[in-house]
Amino acid sequence: MFNKTNKKINILGKTREELYDFFIKIGEEKFRAEQIMKWIYKRYCDDVSLMTDFSKNLKNKLKNIIKIDHLDIESENISQDGTIKWVLKINDQNIETVYIPEINRATLCISSQIGCALNCKFCATSYQGFNRNLNSYEIISQIWYAMKIINDRNNFKLKKITNIVMMGMGEPLLNLKNLVPAIKIILDNYGFGLSKRRITISTAGISPVIKKLGKLIDVKLAISLHAPNDIIRNKIMPINKKYNIKSILLSAKKYISTSKANKGKISIEYIMLNEINDKTEHAYQLINCLKNIPCKINLIPWNPFPYVKYKCSNFNKINNFYKILIKHGITTTIRKQRGIDIKAACGQLSGNVINRINKRNIINF
Ligand code: SF4
């Protein structure tokens, strides 16, 4: 890991195993990896000279070969409902991360890519185009910074982050290479130390990668289904033409069959779009398409952003849809709209993406 070009290694975003290897390679004891992780992830320290359990010699040695680099915050917006949106700077682009406090917990919604290539018609991120995958240090930076801010502002009584959802900008399963190490750090007791039941990967449904994921990591899985049949889904989520509803649900069913994090149920996300997917017949089609799938459904009122033709379903339609699902024994919730006044609600994240890459190169991985 340490290269001879004298380029400093960024320790943020390296897993414990990678750090063990690193410390052994530089002639130090393996346990130094655990010590440095505690400083970074428990005390939010990014300065080796403050790490009091390292000798002066070791500090000097480390200062010459490592750095603890993180993204910086470009701006912060606080909603009337307590939601906070942070815009993080990556050179001339930026990504968005959202903190959502509730009564007994606080969730951090993080991004996995700069932009998104999947082109879902109801999503603000897709209109920004796609630039590149975030690397693991950029994924971890979002959590590190948010936790540090909350820790530093404890006089404001901000709730500690208890849950992480990969529902921000990007399709996480198209960035597995960087996502898996990041999740290992989130789960690691020397890292952020969160439980697997408190981490959710939300995917538009990249079937082959869902299958691969089960061999790599066990966290909660949410499928952004958003349509009760392939005809509607093809129109609003073009990725469905490559991986249809049946293939996605089969892969997801297989994933949860070996998962402890999901407690035997897949979360299905269903955005409510007026006259598109919210009719009574759609509720029955959805029940039919999920009939052999152990799941719970989260109905999400669509959050507006400029230049698109969609409208959110009204309260009566959402309620009618909800009642039909409940009557058929499906656990269903209606998501509360949060952070809408600061454009931090579900589907509203856009960041600033300089689109340099042909989207087709990304989807045909
Ligand atoms: S909904 Fe998710 S997968 Fe679809 S374009 Fe938006 S960020 Fe990408």
Side-chain angles (χ1 to χ4, degrees):
M1 191 162 45
F2 177 56
N3 63 51
K4 288 182 182 142
T5 60
N6 262 350
K7 215 174 149 203
K8 288 189 183 180
I9 304 287
N10 187 11
I11 292 296
L12 193 80
K14 300 281 182 220
T15 62
R16 181 144 50 106
E17 286 67 31
E18 287 174 315
L19 291 178
Y20 283 151
D21 287 348
F22 169 73
F23 277 99
I24 289 166
K25 264 186 203 149
I26 63 164
E28 297 295 334
E29 299 276 2
K30 204 174 151 185
F31 73 88
R32 297 293 184 195
E34 293 160 10
Q35 284 181 314
I36 206 163
M37 284 186 83
K38 276 195 196 165
W39 279 103
I40 297 172
Y41 298 110
K42 307 288 183 205
R43 299 174 181 130
Y44 312 109
C45 174
D46 57 0
D47 182 352
V48 173
S49 47
L50 300 176
M51 300 183 178
T52 49
D53 44 7
F54 291 167
S55 68
K56 202 174 166 195
N57 281 349
L58 181 55
K59 280 181 197 168
N60 287 338
K61 182 176 177 180
L62 290 177
K63 274 194 260 175
N64 285 328
I65 54 179
I66 69 163
K67 55 185 178 177
I68 303 163
D69 242 4
H70 46 77
L71 302 177
D72 281 322
I73 292 203
E74 170 87 350
S75 66
E76 173 184 272
N77 287 287
I78 304 179
S79 161
Q80 285 175 349
D81 66 22
T83 300
I84 305 176
K85 179 167 83 174
W86 289 294
V87 176
L88 290 112
K89 200 168 169 48
I90 304 179
N91 301 323
D92 49 355
Q93 306 185 80
N94 48 47
I95 53 161
E96 299 183 348
T97 301
V98 180
Y99 165 80
I100 309 146
E102 286 164 85
I103 293 167
N104 298 318
R105 60 183 189 167
T107 300
L108 190 73
C109 176
I110 62 171
S111 297
S112 55
Q113 298 182 309
I114 307 180
C116 186
L118 294 197
N119 212 11
C120 303
K121 304 297 178 198
F122 48 81
C123 167
T125 305
S126 82
Y127 289 83
Q128 288 282 304
F130 174 80
N131 184 279
R132 67 165 171 84
N133 285 331
L134 293 179
N135 59 43
S136 56
Y137 112 81
E138 291 163 336
I139 297 173
I140 286 296
S141 264
Q142 299 171 64
I143 308 167
W144 186 86
Y145 229 125
M147 286 195 178
K148 179 174 162 44
I149 288 174
I150 284 152
N151 187 58
D152 292 351
R153 292 183 194 166
N154 55 10
N155 52 333
F156 287 93
K157 305 244 178 314
L158 289 171
K159 267 203 174 28
K160 282 196 170 164
I161 293 165
T162 54
N163 294 59
I164 308 269
V165 293
M166 320 254 162
M167 292 185 187
M169 296 166 65
E171 164 53 58
L173 294 193
L174 291 180
N175 186 13
L176 210 56
K177 181 172 159 261
N178 295 303
L179 184 75
V180 170
I183 289 180
K184 284 186 179 166
I185 296 168
I186 300 170
L187 292 168
D188 192 335
N189 281 337
Y190 289 98
F192 297 116
L194 295 190
S195 147
K196 61 176 81 173
R197 298 210 168 108
R198 294 183 175 273
I199 302 166
T200 304
I201 295 180
S202 172
T203 175
I206 315 293
S207 309
V209 187
I210 297 174
K211 284 182 195 148
K212 221 191 262 180
L213 187 70
K215 296 188 184 110
L216 299 171
I217 215 107
D218 180 17
V219 290
K220 284 172 83 178
L221 182 69
I223 302 292
S224 297
L225 197 67
H226 305 319
N229 60 53
D230 284 322
I231 296 168
I232 296 176
R233 202 165 191 268
N234 285 346
K235 284 188 191 150
I236 61 173
M237 299 181 77
I239 191 66
N240 196 68
K241 292 175 195 157
K242 194 165 169 93
Y243 306 115
N244 65 18
I245 294 179
K246 193 174 170 198
S247 86
I248 297 165
L249 293 177
L250 281 177
S251 315
K253 196 174 172 185
K254 197 153 177 236
Y255 177 82
I256 61 149
S257 69
T258 55
S259 160
K260 292 200 173 95
N262 287 274
K263 292 190 184 161
K265 280 190 178 178
I266 309 165
S267 294
I268 300 287
E269 311 284 332
Y270 194 97
I271 218 148
M272 298 299 295
L273 296 166
N274 187 43
E275 290 296 306
I276 305 281
N277 63 358
D278 64 347
K279 297 178 184 167
T280 299
E281 72 209 56
H282 296 145
Y284 285 103
Q285 285 170 14
L286 185 61
I287 291 162
N288 192 40
C289 110
L290 295 171
K291 68 173 177 279
N292 294 317
I293 307 290
C295 65
K296 52 186 180 187
I297 300 181
N298 195 5
L299 300 178
I300 308 170
W302 181 73
N303 295 302
F305 59 92
Y307 319 120
V308 286
K309 60 185 178 186
Y310 298 116
K311 285 198 174 110
C312 179
S313 314
N314 66 32
F315 173 80
N316 286 343
K317 278 187 172 174
I318 296 175
N319 209 27
N320 173 52
F321 209 92
Y322 168 84
K323 280 185 182 158
I324 296 170
L325 298 177
I326 290 284
K327 206 169 132 200
H328 285 76
I330 303 179
T331 307
T332 307
T333 48
I334 302 174
R335 185 179 292 173
K336 260 197 246 157
Q337 288 178 295
R338 298 292 305 268
I340 201 162
D341 53 332
I342 54 164
K343 294 195 171 48
C346 185
Q348 288 187 313
L349 301 186
S350 59
N352 169 26
V353 180
I354 297 170
N355 183 3
R356 295 193 186 98
I357 291 178
N358 182 342
K359 290 180 183 183
R360 259 176 302 170
N361 295 340
I362 306 305
I363 298 170
N364 294 322
F365 57 92

